[in-house]
């Protein structure tokens, strides 16, 4: 089980959180083609290595925040 | 003592092939087999970075069924099931394919409605399907607890009698042996590290064992597809997750069918050898680590024990995880890519094993003809732009 450092509550068990996938996905603005929209809805990075992702402290303070986690070792090196 | 005959040669790669398949799991081996058998293409290599069938082919829970909701899925999985029904004889190898019936349990009214709807949809598509009420479930599988005094009562189930299990290793070995007999080179310990692309056409793969020229390159790498595709400059609608499973110690025969429950994330069967084989849902986060959290196993065991109180003192022998590539609509992605000569067969997520022969069949056709097999056509990459999704989340996404 991951130990995730919530910026508000400190380190808590993974079971208190919900996963939100890749961080930094911006809503498309202006003229948006179907391809660009599909990218926004369906395409996410899937790296083998460091990954910036969203977590939600659903059973705690209910804060959304970013975590940098390694997808092989599961090491967490940064939360904001 | 003499060593028994090897099932396949262990050749060094040649400098060039008509088709290079990347990934020596079930789907890669089935693709190679059908390329040779159906299309006469034998100048083919399967490149496997580890050993044959050592990834998800060695880690799945071996469940086979075709009772998917949507027409497109029912067609491809039923094609696969029909192939399974003749595969032991065809490959001259006992795959221990056992059509013992697959139950998909309903625990609430919406499950019941969904289940009945799926039974009707299946029948319209020529897929065998029955609806059982709770008493009939109890008759079919006497060790299930169908009392109403549990958190997730059993209110009925769909039954596909032609569904069942097979011995995964035998499937891989049988396909590998036949592909090898046709002259396909199965190259192990050969990791693809890059693609040589000229004028938007793939001409070769770079590997840990040197450059290999290729007329066509076919990805069949399951959870690692995104990593490979990125080397060809492609970003795919796939996310890799751990999917955990476990086996118990060996037991006397106690469960003679497959029981699945989407709502409580558990599926159970008893292997021929005697161990209970149980699968969980995916771990939520992206991972290539081939392991997941113990709490996922714990939740799965809690659900299993409520369904099967008789298992309460059974010991877990081992748990493990595979890396599964999940697509946004829980359906596979099969077909050409924006890079000419580079083909994709991925996104089978948590349910690829049952599709092994069907997937190989349609992928081989797609490679041989340079355009998708009719059964694969709806599963192209472009569906995420056109919106023609094949959304199997409701019917299949959890327990696949």
């Amino acid at each position: 089980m991951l130990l995730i450092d919530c910026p508000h509550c400190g380190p808590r068990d993974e079971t208190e959180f919900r996963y939100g996938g890749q961080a930094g996905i911006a809503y498309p603005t202006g003229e948006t083609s179907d391809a660009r929209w599909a990218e926004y809805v369906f395409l996410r990075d899937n790296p083998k290595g460091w990954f910036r992702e969203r977590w939600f402290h659903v059973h705690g303070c209910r804060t959304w925040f970013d975590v940098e986690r390694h997808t092989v070792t599961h090491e967490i090196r940064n939360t904001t | 003592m003499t060593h028994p005959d090897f099932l396949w040669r262990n050749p060094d790669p040649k400098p060039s092939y008509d088709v290079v398949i990347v990934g020596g799991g079930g789907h890669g081996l089935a693709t190679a087999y059908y390329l040779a058998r159906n299309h006469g293409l034998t100048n083919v290599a399967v490149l496997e970075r580890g050993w044959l069938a050592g990834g998800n082919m060695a880690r799945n829970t071996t469940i086979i069924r075709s009772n998917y909701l949507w027409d497109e899925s029912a067609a491809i999985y039923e094609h696969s099931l029909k192939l399974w029904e003749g595969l032991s004889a065809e490959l001259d190898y006992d795959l221990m394919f056992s059509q013992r019936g697959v139950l998909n349990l309903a625990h609430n009214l919406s499950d019941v409605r969904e289940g009945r709807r799926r039974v009707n949809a299946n029948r319209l598509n020529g897929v065998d399907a029955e609806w059982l009420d709770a008493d009939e479930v109890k008759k079919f599988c006497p060790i299930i607890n169908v009392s109403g005094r549990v958190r997730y009562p059993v209110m009925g189930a769909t039954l596909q009698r032609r569904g069942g299990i097979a011995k995964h290793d035998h499937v891989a070995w049988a396909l590998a042996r036949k592909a090898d007999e046709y002259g396909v080179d199965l190259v192990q310990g050969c990791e693809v590290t890059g693609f040589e692309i000229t004028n938007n056409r793939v001409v070769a793969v770079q590997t840990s064992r040197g450059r290999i020229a290729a007329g066509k390159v076919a990805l069949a790498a399951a959870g690692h597809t995104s990593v490979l595709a990125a080397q060809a400059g492609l970003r795919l609608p796939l996310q890799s997750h751990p999917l955990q499973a476990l086996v118990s110690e060996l037991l006397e025969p106690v469960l003679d069918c497959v029981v699945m429950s989407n709502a409580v994330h558990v599926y159970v069967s008893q292997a021929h050898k005697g161990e209970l084989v149980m699968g969980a849902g995916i771990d939520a986060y992206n991972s290539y680590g081939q392991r997941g959290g113990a709490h996922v196993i714990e939740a799965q065991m809690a659900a299993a024990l409520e369904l099967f109180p008789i298992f309460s003192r059974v010991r877990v022998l081992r748990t493990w995880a595979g890396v599964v590539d999940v697509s946004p609509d829980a359906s596979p992605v099969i077909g050409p890519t924006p890079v000419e000569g580079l083909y994709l067969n991925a996104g089978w997520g948590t349910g690829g094993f049952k599709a092994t022969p069907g997937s190989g069949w349609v992928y081989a056709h797609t490679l041989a003809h340079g355009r998708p097999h009719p059964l694969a056509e709806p599963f192209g990459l472009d569906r995420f732009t056109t919106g023609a999704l094949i959304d199997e989340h409701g019917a299949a996404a959890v327990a696949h």
Side-chain angles (χ1 to χ4, degrees):
Chain A
M1 189 185 299
L2 305 179
L3 189 63
I4 299 170
D5 200 5
C6 170
H8 188 263
C9 310
R12 296 297 181 97
D13 281 351
E14 175 193 341
T15 46
E16 293 187 15
F17 298 86
R18 186 169 298 158
Y19 189 57
Q22 186 181 356
I25 303 291
Y27 194 85
T29 52
E31 278 295 303
T32 302
S33 64
D34 286 354
R36 173 73 191 89
W37 181 251
E39 192 180 311
Y40 167 68
V41 177
F42 295 121
L43 286 192
R44 297 292 179 268
D45 293 340
N46 190 23
K48 187 174 185 175
W50 290 103
F51 189 44
R52 268 198 96 70
E53 59 194 14
R54 302 282 284 160
W55 285 87
F56 176 39
H57 199 182
V58 59
H59 300 303
C61 62
R62 301 186 68 79
T63 302
W64 280 99
F65 57 99
D66 288 5
V67 169
E68 205 173 0
R69 188 181 55 90
H70 197 281
T71 60
V72 179
T73 65
H74 297 172
E75 181 193 345
I76 291 172
R77 70 176 176 191
N78 202 4
T79 59
T80 48
Chain B
M1 289 282 282
T2 55
H3 192 286
D5 288 343
F6 287 97
L7 293 176
W8 55 83
R9 302 162 291 131
N10 209 9
D12 290 322
K14 292 192 282 185
S16 168
Y17 293 94
D18 294 338
V19 180
V20 165
I21 297 166
V22 184
H27 289 217
L29 293 169
T31 304
Y33 167 65
Y34 287 118
L35 273 174
R37 175 193 181 273
N38 293 354
H39 307 284
L41 291 170
T42 54
N43 186 23
V44 172
V46 177
L47 307 183
E48 168 53 50
R49 88 186 158 125
W51 56 89
L52 289 187
N56 294 348
M57 193 60 175
R59 294 158 192 272
N60 65 83
T61 51
T62 80
I63 298 171
I64 296 165
R65 63 188 179 90
S66 65
N67 54 353
Y68 281 69
L69 177 64
W70 300 110
D71 297 350
E72 298 86 348
S73 318
I76 196 167
Y77 287 106
E78 176 62 16
H79 179 62
S80 192
L81 179 50
K82 288 208 172 91
L83 291 172
W84 278 114
E85 286 171 332
L87 207 57
S88 286
E90 181 181 325
L91 298 176
D92 190 22
Y93 204 118
D94 183 6
L95 305 179
M96 299 168 83
F97 176 52
S98 162
Q99 293 180 288
R100 53 182 61 188
V102 175
L103 288 174
N104 286 83
L105 302 180
H107 298 288
N108 54 48
L109 281 177
S110 106
D111 282 358
V112 170
R113 278 192 288 266
E114 188 279 323
R116 285 172 171 274
R117 177 192 181 198
R118 191 155 46 78
V119 164
N120 289 326
N122 289 160
R123 286 183 176 176
L124 288 170
N125 277 319
V127 175
D128 73 300
E130 291 163 53
W131 174 257
L132 305 187
D133 65 25
D135 289 342
E136 291 166 329
V137 170
K138 183 79 181 167
K139 239 178 253 169
F140 190 77
C141 183
I143 62 171
I144 289 189
N145 175 15
V146 296
S147 95
R149 304 177 60 79
V150 292
R151 185 165 177 196
Y152 300 105
V154 174
M155 298 177 70
T158 66
L159 169 62
Q160 183 174 27
R161 289 185 194 270
R162 287 165 59 242
I165 56 174
K167 180 75 186 160
H168 52 102
D169 287 335
H170 289 201
V171 177
W173 300 337
L175 287 167
R177 182 179 68 168
K178 280 289 180 197
D180 179 87
E181 278 174 16
Y182 277 118
V184 171
D185 281 355
L186 308 175
V187 186
Q188 305 181 76
C190 181
E191 180 174 6
V192 170
T193 54
F195 300 91
E196 211 173 294
I197 295 169
T198 311
N199 297 326
N200 195 42
R201 175 169 194 92
V202 66
V203 293
V205 292
Q206 280 120 23
T207 79
S208 56
R209 297 178 70 173
R211 177 187 187 274
I212 302 171
K216 287 171 182 168
V217 176
L219 302 185
H224 276 74
T225 304
S226 296
V227 176
L228 284 165
Q231 291 163 359
L234 298 176
R235 197 165 173 240
L236 300 174
L238 299 173
Q239 297 281 280
S240 297
H241 290 271
L243 178 65
Q244 299 191 71
L246 63 86
V247 290
S248 73
E249 59 195 333
L250 306 188
L251 305 174
E252 293 295 314
V254 61
L255 178 65
D256 65 355
C257 61
V258 181
V259 180
M260 311 179 70
S261 166
N262 280 8
V264 293
H265 293 218
V266 72
Y267 31 108
V268 189
S269 67
Q270 186 172 22
H272 294 84
K273 202 167 65 183
E275 71 269 42
L276 297 171
V277 183
M278 303 197 195
I282 57 171
D283 280 58
Y285 48 75
N286 289 29
S287 173
Y288 291 85
Q290 290 189 322
R291 67 190 183 286
H295 63 282
V296 174
I297 296 286
E298 190 182 1
Q300 166 203 6
M301 287 302 90
L305 287 196
E306 193 181 76
L307 283 175
F308 303 101
I310 193 176
F311 295 162
S312 67
R313 277 171 290 177
V314 173
R315 293 184 191 85
V316 170
L317 200 62
R318 62 180 183 278
T319 74
W320 66 89
V323 180
V324 298
D325 46 330
V326 178
S327 73
D329 58 359
S331 287
V333 184
I334 314 166
T337 68
V339 177
E340 266 181 71
L342 181 63
Y343 292 79
L344 184 63
N345 185 6
W348 291 93
T350 59
F353 176 74
K354 70 174 79 64
T356 301
S359 162
W361 181 287
V362 300
Y363 200 25
H365 179 106
T366 303
L367 291 162
H369 295 274
R371 58 174 187 279
H373 184 280
L375 291 176
E377 219 165 352
F379 295 95
L381 255 182
D382 60 343
R383 74 177 186 271
F384 299 101
T385 311
T386 63
L389 303 183
I390 304 158
D391 187 2
E392 288 292 348
H393 275 295
V398 178
H400 226 15

